[in-house]
Amino acid sequence: MEKIGFIGLGRMGLPMASNIIKGGYSVFCYDVVASQLQAAIANGGHKCSSIAEIVAQSDIIITMLPNSAIVREVIATGAEALLSTAKSGQLIMDMSTVSPETTDFIATSCVEKGVEFVDAPVGRLASHADNGQSLFMVGGSKDGYQRVLPLLELMGSDIYHCGAQGAGTRTKLVNNFLAISYCQMNAEALSLASGFGLDLDSTLDVLYGTTAVNGQLKIAWPAKILSDDKAPGFTIDLAHKDLSLVVEAANSQRVSMPMAAAAREAFSLARSRGFGGEDFSAMLDVQCDLNQLKPPRLATGSKYKPG
Ligand code: NAD
């Protein structure tokens, strides 16, 4: 069995690493935050105190980090970067959401070292990661894909090989444009319903029964903001980061995306009003706050309140 290194044990990385451990693999863990690392050790991971230790212990190294700058530093450019000690035959799989330029840079840097690279960003919610039900968008060679497949099958239920290196990251930006923009659309729709004084359950009856329906409204929101749960999940800060990646990548391709730009600015406003650390479904409360409206919530006993 290959030995696995896992760097970045946050809201997503911790359950993902834990699901690999449950599958019987030895997983060597590293995070800059001691409590996150400790949680992974409590779930059966092996503690590493540096990136160099991860590289020394592992055949496949997974990164699940916040943003492009940190991914570049940890894998390629930092004083103790993975690639400064990695050897030919090892494989790095970055599962973070980053810019296409970052993924391309990392892929090229890996080739120079004889290290295989796969980009495999993650779709769906943190709750899916907890249950091993994530969806993965994979970019990489056929050999690289086959090598990481057993690990992806432990962490998720739907796995798509989207193309060569970089195709996973690019597919993720296409997906997240829609998935995140719907939060602002839903926030505006439900704030209007609140302004009209409409009953929430009756409004949802209609929205769930027409083409207005979307995954955020039907799957994510009843368990989160509509049940008054603002704990992230996926933060407004990270959603803003992803929409910024979309807008910048679209600009670099000369693709115009006015809705993405508008949605990104709605998230900018949410951050400036202090909502950045809350779950991205809390865009509903930002919109209601701005318009001095009562934020809609499911009543106790509502058929839409998860059991
Ligand atoms: P998070 O902030 O909860 O976790 C990131 C972890 O990385 C933290 O534990 C942090 O301490 C660690 N870290 C930061 N810098 C580090 C470094 N230099 N070395 C080692 N560890 C370091 O974020 P998250 O919600 O787990 O998201 C991680 C990535 O996955 C992001 O790119 C995000 O956009 C993406 N993503 C998140 C979700 C979600 O629902 N939360 C879903 C899909 C994709």
Side-chain angles (χ1 to χ4, degrees), residues 193-235:
S194 175
F196 285 153
L198 296 175
D199 174 72
L200 179 57
D201 277 24
S202 306
T203 306
L204 291 178
D205 286 341
V206 172
L207 299 181
Y208 290 171
T210 74
T211 51
V213 73
N214 60 77
Q216 294 294 352
L217 194 62
K218 187 146 191 186
I219 301 166
W221 281 34
K224 295 299 293 180
I225 196 65
L226 296 179
S227 290
D228 206 32
D229 179 0
K230 302 178 206 175
F234 182 64
T235 59

Side-chain angles (χ1 to χ4, degrees), residues 9 14-29 39-46 154:
L9 300 151
L14 179 60
M16 289 161 65
S18 303
N19 283 327
I20 299 177
I21 294 166
K22 276 187 212 150
Y25 285 85
S26 287
V27 179
F28 295 84
C29 300
I41 307 316
N43 288 351
H46 302 286
L154 290 172

Side-chain angles (χ1 to χ4, degrees), residues 10-60:
R11 181 63 190 88
M12 294 295 284
L14 179 60
M16 289 161 65
S18 303
N19 283 327
I20 299 177
I21 294 166
K22 276 187 212 150
Y25 285 85
S26 287
V27 179
F28 295 84
C29 300
Y30 178 69
D31 194 295
V32 286
V33 174
S35 57
Q36 293 303 128
L37 181 54
Q38 206 41 53
I41 307 316
N43 288 351
H46 302 286
K47 184 175 178 178
C48 289
S49 308
S50 67
I51 293 175
E53 212 179 321
I54 289 274
V55 177
Q57 297 287 355
S58 316
D59 304 305
I60 295 177

Side-chain angles (χ1 to χ4, degrees), residues 40 69 148 158 177-178 227 237 268:
V148 298
D158 295 86
F177 159 58
L178 282 176
S227 290
D237 279 339
S268 298

